Each structure stands twice: as structure tokens, then as C-alpha cells.
Amino acid sequence: MSKIISLHSFRGGTGKSNTTANIAALLAVDGRRIGVVDTDIQSPGIHILFGLAGEQVSNTLNDSLWGKCNITQTAHDVSTYLNTDLKGKVYLIPSSIRPGEITRVLREGYDAQLLSQGFRRLVDELNLDVLLIDTHPGLGEETLLSMVISHTLVIILRPDQQDYEGTGVTVQVARRLKVPNMVLLVNKLPVVFDAAAVKAQVEQAYGCPVIATLPHSDELMNLASGGILALRYPDSSLTALYRQAATVLMEMR
């Protein structure tokens, strides 16, 4: 059975796109067919991690939402850009980086229901094992629809008081929407923090399991969005934690 997984954070800067890209790559290494949708239409960026230059992308999610093309025509097979042999496939559905198209979204909006229908179409027509939705931070209409349609919601947070408060709001909203599975992932943990203690505190505070606690990584910072860490450094401790998170997500029903 195919899975739809939304990765979300209440605030920006949590490392959501890097987490999405690394989980997608690891699942494809294992032979799965993965779709990644960048629904952060106001500030897209995950395409850079997959080796695509935004101004060179011909078909984007924006084109589909405005009726210019079928959403499957916006799916770019980025497997060959990842510089490794994948048993599976990664298809990226990017949002437009063109200033005029971003301005149009902010000015006119779009049919969020059409976006929801597009998710299901991607799963069916690309024969995906997993569709990962990289959402826009906060709680907009498209984020709520992503939550409703998803089998699992991953909320990413940093050990930061603003993140803690925003995550509490997100958890409450997701429970009201009856999201089937909801998990947390703590990211960018300073080395002075005790990972096990933070995990226990977060799980107790929100009543949700923490699938991974990821430390601040100089390796990731040095990459500067120039690639996917799990592929560049397959033996690193951070890659092992991404793999742990991916495994847990695949085991959920």
C-alpha cells in the first residue's frame, strides 16, 4: 500500500527540506519509488538539494495548479542527478522559483483542493510507494489539506521555545483533523544537550513519539545545500539517524 507522508514545521529554519530529501534518498536506495512535492510555493528550495536549478525547470507545481499541465507532467526524475546507483526512483515535483509566479501565488492564491487531488494522482500514475510532502511552515490551507490526506504527519522542531509553542499548536490541530499517525522529529540539537533527555521531555509534553533526535551537524552545514548528506556520507552517524527515521515511517500503518 502506498503511503503519503507530510513533513511539517510550525516555523521556518528547522531543516525540514533537508530531512525530507535525506529520507527520500534513503528510501530510494532501498528500491522504493518516491515522490517529493515542494508545496512551499511561497519560498521553494528543495530542488537545489536534488541538483536542479530552479530557473531551468520547465514544468512546476504552479503550472499544474493554474491548469497549464497535468501534475504528473511536473514530476522530474532526479534519480540520475544524485550521483549514486539507486535501486528505486525519486520524482521531484518542484515549485517555481520565478519571482513573477511567486508573486502571483501571493496575490491570487490557488485551488488547494486541486492540490489534494493531485497528490492522489501522482501516487497512482507514477506507481509510487511513498509520496513525501514538504510543506510550507505554519498552518495555511494547503498544510491542513496535506495533513488530512496523509497517512503520517512528521512535525519537525528544534529545541527552541518558539518551536515548542508552535509545535503544540500544530499537534492540537492535527488531532482535531484526526491524522492517523503523528510523530515528532527533533532537529539541530546542540551537542551540549542530552538527546535521550530531550526525547523523553518532548514525548511527555506532546504525547507523541519522537522518531529521531538529530544533532547539529557540521557536515550538513558544510554541504550548504550542495547535495544530500545521506548519499554523500553514507557511513556518518547522522545518516544512521535519518535511516532510523525512515525505517520507523515505513513500519507505520
mmCIF file of all heavy atoms in Angstrom, residues 47 52-58 95-98:
data_model
loop_
_atom_site.group_PDB
_atom_site.id
_atom_site.type_symbol
_atom_site.label_atom_id
_atom_site.label_comp_id
_atom_site.label_asym_id
_atom_site.label_seq_id
_atom_site.Cartn_x
_atom_site.Cartn_y
_atom_site.Cartn_z
ATOM 1 N N HIS A 47 14.462 21.749 -4.506
ATOM 2 C CA HIS A 47 15.003 21.329 -5.805
ATOM 3 C C HIS A 47 16.525 21.430 -5.842
ATOM 4 O O HIS A 47 17.193 20.650 -6.509
ATOM 5 C CB HIS A 47 14.394 22.172 -6.932
ATOM 6 C CG HIS A 47 14.610 23.642 -6.766
ATOM 7 N ND1 HIS A 47 13.775 24.436 -6.020
ATOM 8 C CD2 HIS A 47 15.591 24.457 -7.228
ATOM 9 C CE1 HIS A 47 14.214 25.680 -6.045
ATOM 10 N NE2 HIS A 47 15.325 25.727 -6.761
ATOM 11 N N LEU A 52 18.706 20.341 -9.138
ATOM 12 C CA LEU A 52 18.007 21.079 -10.178
ATOM 13 C C LEU A 52 18.179 22.579 -9.965
ATOM 14 O O LEU A 52 18.036 23.065 -8.843
ATOM 15 C CB LEU A 52 16.510 20.754 -10.172
ATOM 16 C CG LEU A 52 16.070 19.370 -10.648
ATOM 17 C CD1 LEU A 52 14.548 19.296 -10.620
ATOM 18 C CD2 LEU A 52 16.583 19.056 -12.030
ATOM 19 N N ALA A 53 18.463 23.298 -11.038
ATOM 20 C CA ALA A 53 18.493 24.753 -10.993
ATOM 21 C C ALA A 53 17.082 25.266 -11.240
ATOM 22 O O ALA A 53 16.470 24.939 -12.269
ATOM 23 C CB ALA A 53 19.449 25.301 -12.050
ATOM 24 N N GLY A 54 16.553 26.043 -10.312
ATOM 25 C CA GLY A 54 15.149 26.434 -10.361
ATOM 26 C C GLY A 54 14.736 27.130 -11.632
ATOM 27 O O GLY A 54 13.655 26.883 -12.187
ATOM 28 N N GLU A 55 15.603 28.000 -12.183
ATOM 29 C CA GLU A 55 15.226 28.749 -13.379
ATOM 30 C C GLU A 55 15.187 27.876 -14.627
ATOM 31 O O GLU A 55 14.659 28.272 -15.665
ATOM 32 C CB GLU A 55 16.188 29.920 -13.600
ATOM 33 C CG GLU A 55 17.622 29.532 -13.934
ATOM 34 C CD GLU A 55 18.468 29.227 -12.716
ATOM 35 O OE1 GLU A 55 17.914 29.237 -11.597
ATOM 36 O OE2 GLU A 55 19.671 28.963 -12.876
ATOM 37 N N GLN A 56 15.746 26.650 -14.546
ATOM 38 C CA GLN A 56 15.784 25.758 -15.698
ATOM 39 C C GLN A 56 14.634 24.750 -15.699
ATOM 40 O O GLN A 56 14.493 23.982 -16.642
ATOM 41 C CB GLN A 56 17.122 25.017 -15.737
ATOM 42 C CG GLN A 56 18.323 25.935 -15.947
ATOM 43 C CD GLN A 56 19.645 25.198 -15.864
ATOM 44 O OE1 GLN A 56 19.688 24.028 -15.498
ATOM 45 N NE2 GLN A 56 20.721 25.886 -16.195
ATOM 46 N N VAL A 57 13.837 24.738 -14.636
ATOM 47 C CA VAL A 57 12.736 23.776 -14.542
ATOM 48 C C VAL A 57 11.567 24.270 -15.387
ATOM 49 O O VAL A 57 11.046 25.368 -15.176
ATOM 50 C CB VAL A 57 12.298 23.600 -13.071
ATOM 51 C CG1 VAL A 57 11.088 22.677 -12.993
ATOM 52 C CG2 VAL A 57 13.448 23.049 -12.243
ATOM 53 N N SER A 58 11.164 23.460 -16.348
ATOM 54 C CA SER A 58 10.124 23.890 -17.286
ATOM 55 C C SER A 58 8.723 23.765 -16.695
ATOM 56 O O SER A 58 7.934 24.707 -16.744
ATOM 57 C CB SER A 58 10.223 23.079 -18.578
ATOM 58 O OG SER A 58 10.153 21.681 -18.292
ATOM 59 N N SER A 95 8.247 23.547 -6.943
ATOM 60 C CA SER A 95 7.504 24.792 -7.136
ATOM 61 C C SER A 95 8.396 25.783 -7.864
ATOM 62 O O SER A 95 9.619 25.668 -7.850
ATOM 63 C CB SER A 95 7.070 25.362 -5.778
ATOM 64 O OG SER A 95 6.014 24.611 -5.241
ATOM 65 N N SER A 96 7.764 26.759 -8.490
ATOM 66 C CA SER A 96 8.502 27.719 -9.307
ATOM 67 C C SER A 96 9.299 28.688 -8.438
ATOM 68 O O SER A 96 8.814 29.175 -7.407
ATOM 69 C CB SER A 96 7.540 28.513 -10.196
ATOM 70 O OG SER A 96 8.237 29.520 -10.905
ATOM 71 N N ILE A 97 10.507 28.984 -8.889
ATOM 72 C CA ILE A 97 11.356 29.962 -8.218
ATOM 73 C C ILE A 97 11.282 31.317 -8.913
ATOM 74 O O ILE A 97 11.894 32.291 -8.482
ATOM 75 C CB ILE A 97 12.821 29.455 -8.172
ATOM 76 C CG1 ILE A 97 13.642 30.230 -7.138
ATOM 77 C CG2 ILE A 97 13.459 29.529 -9.555
ATOM 78 C CD1 ILE A 97 13.195 30.031 -5.721
ATOM 79 N N ARG A 98 10.483 31.403 -9.994
ATOM 80 C CA ARG A 98 10.397 32.659 -10.737
ATOM 81 C C ARG A 98 9.629 33.710 -9.934
ATOM 82 O O ARG A 98 8.503 33.457 -9.478
ATOM 83 C CB ARG A 98 9.724 32.419 -12.092
ATOM 84 C CG ARG A 98 10.514 31.501 -13.020
ATOM 85 C CD ARG A 98 9.817 31.312 -14.365
ATOM 86 N NE ARG A 98 10.619 30.468 -15.249
ATOM 87 C CZ ARG A 98 10.542 29.140 -15.287
ATOM 88 N NH1 ARG A 98 9.693 28.507 -14.486
ATOM 89 N NH2 ARG A 98 11.308 28.448 -16.106
#
